[in-house]
Amino acid sequence: MSGSLSNHTLPAKKNLARSFVAALVLIPIALLAQNPAPTPPYSDQAELSKVEQWVLSQGSEESIAPELAAILGVGSDRLPVKLKSFPTPNGINRTFAVSTNPIQKGIVLSALKTIQDTAKIYSIGTAWLTDRSGTLHRTIQVDASGARVVPNDSRAAEFNDIKAFFVKQLKATTSTTSSSPSPGISATARGGKQRTK
């Protein structure tokens, strides 16, 4: 994949873009925390810890390339992660990745779309480094020319939207999972009692 990327970018930027694209295109997006109450402004932040646990228990094992880890500010080595991914109808892949390195903690959220033309394959979109409290630490913008750090407030609204998306998805997943087995367990329990009587 890296050989297909644009030839007109600066070498350092090109390498970072390649690693970023390779890492995040492979990263399936992950999801959302469960909250029985409505979601006031900061509830999704607290719930990222629930999403984190869900991804760690059920996500796929991947890793983020050293160059991407460096841009994110989580070290200079390949970063092992657990992740989940959700594609959208418009081609954007939303990803929730949790570092499994005990020294370099962090959560990477991303919303990227892969573009392919005759000369190159690249991604466009945004990635954010956060933590289980929902505090935004770093924002990265990705386009055909590479990946770069941008001010956090420049994409803060999108960051809040993607957190809310993850929370909603986890609620839906948890609701489906818990409601499906319950009737069976209930019926079995009732059946057992009736037979006993």
Side-chain angles (χ1 to χ4, degrees):
M1 176 184 281
S2 61
S4 306
L5 293 178
S6 167
N7 293 326
H8 59 64
T9 56
L10 295 174
K13 207 179 230 185
K14 187 162 93 172
N15 289 336
L16 291 174
R18 288 174 177 169
S19 299
F20 192 91
V21 170
L24 292 182
V25 166
L26 293 176
I27 290 182
I29 289 197
L31 283 10
L32 321 165
Q34 159 191 0
N35 187 1
T39 53
Y42 295 100
S43 65
D44 58 339
Q45 295 183 0
E47 293 203 355
L48 286 186
S49 63
K50 299 177 185 177
V51 182
E52 178 189 48
Q53 291 306 311
W54 183 67
V55 173
L56 286 173
S57 67
Q58 299 184 27
S60 60
E61 292 185 6
E62 298 288 348
S63 64
I64 294 177
E67 295 88 347
L68 176 57
I71 280 191
L72 290 169
V74 287
S76 56
D77 296 325
R78 183 168 289 276
L79 184 69
V81 295
K82 284 283 194 81
L83 60 86
K84 279 186 171 284
S85 178
F86 288 83
T88 64
N90 60 4
I92 294 173
N93 197 40
R94 292 173 173 168
T95 303
F96 193 111
V98 182
S99 168
T100 55
N101 182 333
I103 299 173
Q104 298 292 350
K105 295 286 189 181
I107 295 170
V108 178
L109 308 183
S110 65
L112 296 171
K113 182 175 185 177
T114 300
I115 306 295
Q116 181 171 1
D117 60 30
T118 55
K120 57 191 173 182
I121 299 174
Y122 58 92
S123 289
I124 57 173
T126 311
W128 299 268
L129 176 67
T130 184
D131 56 33
R132 63 192 325 185
S133 74
T135 302
L136 179 55
H137 294 287
R138 186 162 293 188
T139 303
I140 297 172
Q141 185 66 32
V142 187
D143 56 31
S145 64
R148 65 190 181 280
V149 176
V150 296
N152 286 336
D153 58 3
S154 69
R155 297 290 186 274
E158 293 174 53
F159 176 65
N160 289 329
D161 287 346
I162 200 167
K163 285 192 301 180
F165 169 80
F166 293 150
V167 170
K168 187 181 293 185
Q169 292 302 311
L170 183 58
K171 285 181 182 179
T173 301
T174 305
S175 173
T176 302
T177 304
S178 60
S179 63
S180 299
S182 296
I185 293 169
S186 256
T188 303
R190 285 179 193 153
K193 286 179 183 176
Q194 288 171 357
R195 285 174 190 159
T196 303
K197 290 178 180 176

